[in-house]
C-alpha cells in the first residue's frame, strides 16, 4: 500500500491490480489514501474549491434507466420549467457566488422534437445575463446539436457512462447504445468543449469493473470526473437495491484524484446532502456540485428532496464547511484559468 501511494505521489502510472488494492483499503490504509489524494490536490489547487449551481430544468425523459427516479415508466410528478423561471434561478445562483451553472435535463422528448431551440435560447440568455461558464447535461444529443452548443461557447458537456462494463451498462441503461453515448461526449471534446464523465457505485459492479472504469475514464481527456453512490428510489426496478457504503465513493474520488492530479473532481451534494460534503472533500474532491437556491421547487438527481428547501444546500452553507476545513472558494478568475483549454 505504501509503495502504491508513493508511486502515486511521484506521478507514476498505477496498474489495475494497484487500483484494486486501493479500492479494498480500510482503516489506516484508507486514511493514508485520502491523505495522499489531499496532498496531490494541494500541489495543483492549493486551498481552492469551486462551486457549481444546479438547475434541473426538465424532469421529463424518454429513457428508462433502471437506477433513475425520472425513468419514463415511473409514475411521478414531473416539471418543465418555463425559460423565464430558469433564467431567474440561474441569476439567483450567479448572485450567490457559484462559479458555473450546470443546466440539467432528462432526455425530454419535447426538446428533442423541437431540435433544442428552446434550450439553446435559454442557454444564450443565461450566458448573457450572468457571464458565467455553463455546463449542459442534456443526455445524448445528435452531433448537430453539440455543434450548436459549441457555437454558443457552452464550456462543458456532461454525459455519464456510469460504468465501462458494457454488459452492466446494458442492464442499467435499457435500450441505449453504449457507443452512441461514449461517442457523443468524445465528439463534444473534438468541438472544443470540456467534458465531464461519471461513474456510479453500487449498481452491480465488481471491484474489477470499478478499477477498469476508473482507469478507462482517466484516458478520455475529460476535465471533470465524478463518482456518485447509487441511491434507491421509489418506483424503480432497483428500489430494493441497497445503497453502497460511502467509503467506496470516497476511495474512488481519492483514486481519481491521484490518477488525474489536475482534474476537477466533484463532491456531489446530491447523494448525502450537506452532511456528506466534508468526507468527499477530505477524499480529494475540489468542486462542490448540486448547489441550488432554496425554495425554487427544483429537484435533485439522486435525491429529489434532500436539503433542497431548507437553505443548507446553498453557497453560504457550503462556504461555512469549507472554511472550517481550512479551505476557501476560488475566485471566478481562478476558475476561468482552471478551465482554459
Ligand atoms: S438517468 Fe438520465 S437518461 Fe436515464 S432515465 Fe434518468 S434522466 Fe433519463
Amino acid at each position: 500500500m505504501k509503495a502504491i501511494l508513493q508511486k502515486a505521489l511521484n506521478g507514476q502510472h498505477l496498474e489495475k491490480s494497484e487500483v484494486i488494492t486501493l479500492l479494498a483499503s480500510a482503516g489506516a490504509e484508507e486514511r493514508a489514501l485520502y491523505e495522499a489524494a489531499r496532498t496531490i490536490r494541494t500541489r495543483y489547487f492549493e486551498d481552492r474549491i469551486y462551486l457549481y449551481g444546479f438547475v434541473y430544468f426538465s424532469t421529463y425523459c424518454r429513457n428508462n434507466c433502471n437506477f433513475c427516479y425520472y425513468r419514463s415508466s415511473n409514475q411521478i410528478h414531473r416539471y418543465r420549467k418555463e425559460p423565464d423561471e430558469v433564467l431567474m434561478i440561474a441569476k439567483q445562483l450567479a448572485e450567490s457566488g457559484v462559479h458555473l451553472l450546470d443546466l440539467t435535463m432528462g432526455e425530454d422528448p419535447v426538446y428533442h422534437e423541437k431540435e433544442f431551440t428552446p434550450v439553446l435560447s435559454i442557454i444564450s440568455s443565461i450566458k448573457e445575463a450572468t457571464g458565467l461558464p455553463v455546463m449542459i447535461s442534456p443526455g445524448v444529443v445528435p452531433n448537430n446539436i453539440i455543434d450548436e452548443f459549441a457555437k454558443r461557447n457552452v464550456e462543458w458537456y456532461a454525459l455519464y457512462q456510469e460504468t465501462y462494463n458494457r454488459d452492466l451498462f446494458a442492464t442499467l441503461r435499457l435500450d441505449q447504445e453504449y457507443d452512441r453515448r461514449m461517442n457523443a461526449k468524445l465528439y463534444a471534446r473534438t468541438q472544443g468543449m470540456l467534458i465531464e464523465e461519471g461513474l456510479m457505485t453500487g449498481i452491480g459492479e465488481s471491484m474489477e469493473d470499478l478499477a477498469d472504469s476508473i482507469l478507462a475514464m482517466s484516458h478520455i481527456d475529460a476535465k471533470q470526473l465524478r463518482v456518485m453512490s447509487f441511491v434507491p428510489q421509489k418506483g424503480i426496478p432497483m428500489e430494493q437495491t441497497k445503497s453502497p457504503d460511502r467509503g467506496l465513493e470516497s476511495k474512488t474520488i481519492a483514486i481519481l484524484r491521484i490518477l488525474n492530479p489536475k482534474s476537477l473532481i466533484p463532491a456531489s451534494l446530491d447523494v448525502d446532502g450537506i452532511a456528506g460534503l466534508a468526507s468527499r472533500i477530505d477524499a480529494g474532491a475540489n468542486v462542490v456540485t448540486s448547489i441550488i437556491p432554496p425554495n425554487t421547487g427544483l429537484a435533485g438527481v439522486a435525491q429529489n428532496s434532500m436539503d433542497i428547501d431548507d437553505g443548507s444546500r446553498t453557497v453560504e452553507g457550503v462556504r461555512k464547511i469549507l472554511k472550517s476545513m481550512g479551505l476557501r472558494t476560488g475566485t471566478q478568475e481562478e476558475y476561468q484559468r482552471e478551465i482554459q483549454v
Side-chain angles (χ1 to χ4, degrees), residues 41-203:
R41 180 185 65 201
T42 307
R43 198 180 280 168
Y44 293 96
F45 294 96
E46 297 171 346
D47 56 353
R48 303 184 297 276
I49 305 286
Y50 299 105
L51 312 183
Y52 288 7
F54 183 63
V55 191
Y56 200 172
F57 64 96
S58 171
T59 57
Y60 287 87
C61 187
R62 62 185 180 181
N63 290 331
N64 215 14
C65 301
N66 267 344
F67 56 86
C68 178
Y69 182 62
Y70 303 101
R71 68 197 307 265
S72 55
S73 62
N74 209 9
Q75 300 298 314
I76 52 169
H77 166 76
R78 296 176 193 266
Y79 61 74
R80 185 179 299 111
K81 296 277 178 194
E82 291 298 325
D84 281 356
E85 198 182 348
V86 181
L87 180 61
M88 187 193 75
I89 295 163
K91 282 185 186 165
Q92 275 179 284
L93 281 166
E95 277 159 24
S96 74
V98 299
H99 298 93
L100 170 142
L101 294 163
D102 173 7
L103 308 178
T104 294
M105 53 179 270
E107 291 193 13
D108 186 336
V110 167
Y111 289 141
H112 277 263
E113 255 165 49
K114 294 183 176 169
E115 289 275 303
F116 275 75
T117 309
V119 176
L120 294 168
S121 138
I122 291 173
I123 289 173
S124 298
S125 38
I126 287 179
K127 283 191 84 72
E128 192 185 319
T130 67
L132 288 184
V134 163
M135 173 182 277
I136 184 81
S137 313
V140 178
V141 298
N143 287 357
N144 68 305
I145 302 297
I146 294 175
D147 292 342
E148 294 299 325
F149 295 147
K151 253 190 241 162
R152 283 164 181 77
N153 298 320
V154 175
E155 286 81 356
W156 290 89
Y157 182 53
L159 189 66
Y160 313 129
Q161 218 67 13
E162 308 298 10
T163 177
Y164 277 58
N165 176 325
R166 285 168 181 267
D167 294 336
L168 183 57
F169 179 97
T171 68
L172 296 168
R173 293 199 178 273
L174 303 183
D175 303 318
Q176 295 165 64
E177 281 176 43
Y178 182 97
D179 288 320
R180 199 163 157 246
R181 195 169 188 88
M182 179 60 77
N183 289 339
K185 71 191 103 182
L186 297 180
Y187 178 75
R189 187 73 197 97
T190 66
Q191 297 312 296
M193 295 181 77
L194 299 165
I195 54 173
E196 180 182 30
E197 174 61 297
L199 287 186
M200 199 175 279
T201 58
I203 47 173

Side-chain angles (χ1 to χ4, degrees), residues 37 40-41 45 253-261 263 265 284 286:
I40 291 171
R41 180 185 65 201
F45 294 96
I253 288 175
I255 298 166
L256 286 170
R257 166 60 61 214
I258 64 182
L259 293 175
N260 303 277
S263 292
I265 298 179
N286 64 339

Side-chain angles (χ1 to χ4, degrees), residues 205-219:
E205 76 285 1
S206 66
M207 282 298 142
E208 284 223 1
D209 290 335
L210 190 51
D212 282 334
S213 297
I214 290 170
L215 286 166
M217 76 195 282
S218 300
H219 286 101

